[in-house]
Amino acid sequence: MRRVVITGQGTINPLGTNVAETLDGFRNARLGIGALDIPDVDRLSIRIAGQVRGFQPEVHFTRQQLPLYDRFTQFALVAAGEAIAQSGLVFDGELADQAGVVLGTAGGGLVTQDENYRAVYGEGRNRVHPFVVPRLMNNAAASHVSMQHNLRGPSYTVATACASSNHAMGQAFHLVRSGASRVMLTGGAESMLCFGGIKAWEGLRVMSPDACRPFSADRNGMVQGEGAALFVFEDYEHARARGAEILAELAGFAMTSDSCDIVTPSEEGAARAIRGALRDARLPPEAIGYINAHGTGTTLNDRTECAAVRAVFGSHCDDLLMSSTKSMHGHLIGGTGAVELLACIMALRDGVIAPTIGYRRADPDCPLDVVANEARAARIGAALSNAFAFGGLNAVLALKRI
Amino acid sequence: MTQSISEKVIAIIAEQAVLDVSDVTPDRTLDDLGIDSLGMVEAVFAIEEQFDITVPFNANEAGDRDFPLKDVAAVIEAVAQLIAAKAG
């Protein structure tokens, strides 16, 4: 069993077009959610979202590349470029064959699907662009990251709805820990902010019309976001031998299934995943100083998640900080765990806990310190990142300071 | 003879609860009929389609004590108001 460390991180999300801007957003409790700006927004009842603003694809990609890249692929490539640049790795020779990419996404090329369904059904057009299939496929982002950076080992995409990124990062962790890969690019990307993507969520009646307020008694639902975050997971010995800067250690991972209900979460399934991650990391509950919550801002998730955390941590809850950064960047669905891992790494490296913003009133069902409204300084040795998906699929990562 | 609003709403709720319409009386609560918040989401969708109205329903608020759609009578009343507002 090899130790696995993180040696690079990159992102683009509603809080910023890179890691520095995003961490600045976390520190300053910045709201990345605002009025939704997409075609036909007037036919939606939900009109807010965490959109990536000011992103100009043509600045990053050539005329030849753009027809092949759905928005989620563009996000993944921008984040991958930043992460790899920070790691200092160049993938050639043997290392290229020992490196791959596992990404999470729920909707894949949903913007491409939306635009082309609109063209053929709505506008009655009989012709679509020849690259619709390679644009919309769920593995497009992983494949383009592999091609752009010469990653020639195992590469694939994981789709477990809102836990996609955490499952993907868990897979990458396993590949490096087992020795199957030396280096893995991993994380997730999502771009679901198109008419069909929001209309579908609207139908479920769990979306907030005004704000994402996780754990606040007056919360009224989730808010969608978009973007990507990617990380370089590397064999510790390899990283040390080349003198790489190590951001954190990926110490453990666990996944469980509720085997219960397609949308309603289970406290027991969530608790088992949290316990499993602690066991895998060989950490006692008392070692955890911070949990980045799934914290969607729905009644059901927040209540269930808090009950699961209380069940696992008991009296240690008094010394535990837990926040949901979805309050700032929204729910990036299949990309959300990746963006949230940035907050875990910030907590470990910088001793700054990202807040849960929009918090107004304590909820007796959520009796935890949720770092309300302002970032907080705290020295943390280990952190967890929770993700609990529709379908009852749970994935929890454990990180350690190094 | 066309069904009244209340008959149509009761038929939708009965279908959701997998009960006979005669069991769905106005005084029964949705809880009591075994309709949870997601069952309610489906029933609201069926009501919207049936009457061509938009029901401002958020599943996150369904657990509140002062939730207006608590029993069958309240649902019928709310639907009647929405239909009247649309006609008005």
Side-chain angles (χ1 to χ4, degrees):
Chain A
M1 296 261 277
R2 293 156 191 276
R3 290 174 69 185
V4 181
V5 294
I6 301 171
T7 55
Q9 55 186 359
T11 191
I12 176 163
N13 68 72
L15 289 175
T17 54
N18 55 46
V19 172
E21 286 175 23
T22 304
L23 300 190
D24 182 70
F26 287 159
R27 286 169 187 275
N28 294 300
R30 187 143 42 82
L31 179 64
I33 292 167
L36 181 64
D37 178 20
I38 58 164
D40 290 334
V41 68
D42 54 312
R43 289 177 55 214
L44 293 167
S45 63
I46 298 301
R47 297 181 184 179
I48 58 166
Q51 278 187 291
V52 169
R53 292 178 192 278
F55 174 58
Q56 295 176 286
E58 57 283 359
V59 172
H60 297 270
F61 308 112
T62 66
R63 157 72 187 79
Q64 285 71 27
Q65 290 171 322
L66 279 172
L68 288 162
Y69 297 169
D70 182 89
R71 191 166 167 88
F72 94 111
T73 296
Q74 296 173 14
F75 290 157
L77 285 167
V78 168
E82 184 184 11
I84 292 173
Q86 180 178 28
S87 77
L89 286 165
V90 176
F91 297 97
D92 53 17
E94 233 178 63
L95 183 63
D97 294 353
Q98 295 172 339
V101 47
V102 184
L103 293 186
T105 188
L110 202 70
V111 170
T112 298
Q113 298 203 36
D114 197 64
E115 284 172 356
N116 286 280
Y117 280 140
R118 184 193 301 267
V120 294
Y121 295 139
E123 296 161 11
R125 282 167 55 189
N126 286 327
R127 202 178 293 119
V128 296
H129 192 278
F131 298 158
V132 168
V133 169
R135 268 176 77 111
L136 67 78
M137 60 192 193
N138 269 33
N139 61 312
S143 294
H144 284 296
V145 170
S146 151
M147 288 186 278
Q148 197 164 92
H149 297 283
N150 197 34
L151 310 172
R152 294 162 29 118
S155 294
Y156 55 98
T157 297
V158 177
T160 51
C162 310
S164 301
S165 280
N166 273 21
H167 275 108
M169 293 188 288
Q171 295 287 295
F173 170 59
H174 285 167
L175 284 163
V176 176
R177 185 164 74 169
S178 70
S181 291
R182 185 68 50 94
V183 176
M184 289 299 293
L185 261 287
T186 188
E190 199 73 80
S191 62
M192 216 176 257
L193 301 181
C194 51
F195 183 76
I198 294 166
K199 183 54 88 180
W201 277 102
E202 210 178 86
L204 206 45
R205 309 276 181 158
V206 295
M207 308 295 287
S208 168
D210 48 32
C212 176
R213 306 181 188 284
F215 310 116
S216 185
D218 60 350
R219 66 191 179 279
N220 59 2
M222 51 180 273
V223 174
Q224 276 179 271
E226 64 172 353
L230 266 75
F231 301 87
V232 176
F233 283 12
E234 186 171 357
D235 180 325
Y236 171 66
E237 297 298 338
H238 187 266
R240 214 176 57 157
R242 67 186 186 87
E245 186 191 0
I246 293 171
L247 305 178
E249 177 168 6
L250 212 303
F253 171 62
M255 37 189 166
T256 64
S257 309
D258 295 343
S259 185
C260 190
D261 189 273
I262 197 69
V263 288
T264 305
S266 136
E267 174 192 332
E268 188 273 341
R272 270 194 300 130
I274 295 169
R275 282 197 190 94
L278 292 173
R279 193 163 53 239
D280 192 47
R282 295 192 175 87
L283 289 169
E286 297 72 36
I288 302 298
Y290 171 62
I291 300 176
N292 185 288
H294 191 55
T296 56
T298 61
T299 308
L300 274 181
N301 173 83
D302 294 3
R303 184 192 295 156
T304 308
E305 183 167 20
C306 288
V309 166
R310 286 217 78 91
V312 174
F313 291 94
S315 61
H316 179 59
C317 285
D318 298 342
D319 303 310
L320 191 58
L321 303 173
M322 179 162 94
S323 68
S324 170
T325 53
K326 285 186 179 74
S327 56
M328 292 177 273
H329 50 64
H331 192 335
L332 276 70
I333 317 293
T336 209
V339 170
E340 292 161 25
L341 200 73
L342 295 165
C344 291
I345 296 170
M346 181 176 85
L348 293 168
R349 284 190 83 202
D350 306 335
V352 177
I353 309 295
T356 304
I357 71 166
Y359 186 89
R360 295 196 290 208
R361 196 148 53 82
D363 179 353
D365 284 335
C366 303
L368 291 163
D369 186 342
V370 299
V371 195
N373 299 320
E374 280 180 24
R376 202 177 306 165
R379 193 171 160 79
I380 298 297
L384 296 180
S385 185
N386 287 347
F388 308 128
F390 274 0
L393 310 183
N394 311 303
V396 177
L397 295 158
L399 282 82
K400 283 200 299 201
R401 184 149 43 86
I402 198 156
Chain B
M1 196 183 125
T2 56
Q3 281 181 303
S4 68
I5 291 171
S6 96
E7 282 168 339
K8 286 177 181 169
V9 169
I10 284 174
I12 288 168
I13 292 174
E15 203 211 334
Q16 190 62 44
V18 203
L19 289 171
D20 194 273
V21 288
S22 61
D23 294 328
V24 182
T25 50
D27 58 313
R28 293 192 72 174
T29 67
L30 301 171
D31 250 6
D32 172 36
L33 293 167
I35 297 180
D36 61 9
S37 66
L38 286 157
M40 197 57 204
V41 167
E42 266 198 279
V44 165
F45 171 68
I47 287 168
E48 290 183 329
E49 290 285 285
Q50 169 90 61
F51 298 105
D52 192 22
I53 53 172
T54 298
V55 182
F57 173 77
N58 181 334
N60 293 294
E61 286 155 356
D64 286 3
R65 253 175 315 153
D66 36 343
F67 176 59
L69 306 183
K70 199 168 172 52
D71 56 29
V72 174
V75 177
I76 293 168
E77 174 59 25
V79 171
Q81 281 181 15
L82 286 164
I83 293 169
K86 190 186 164 212

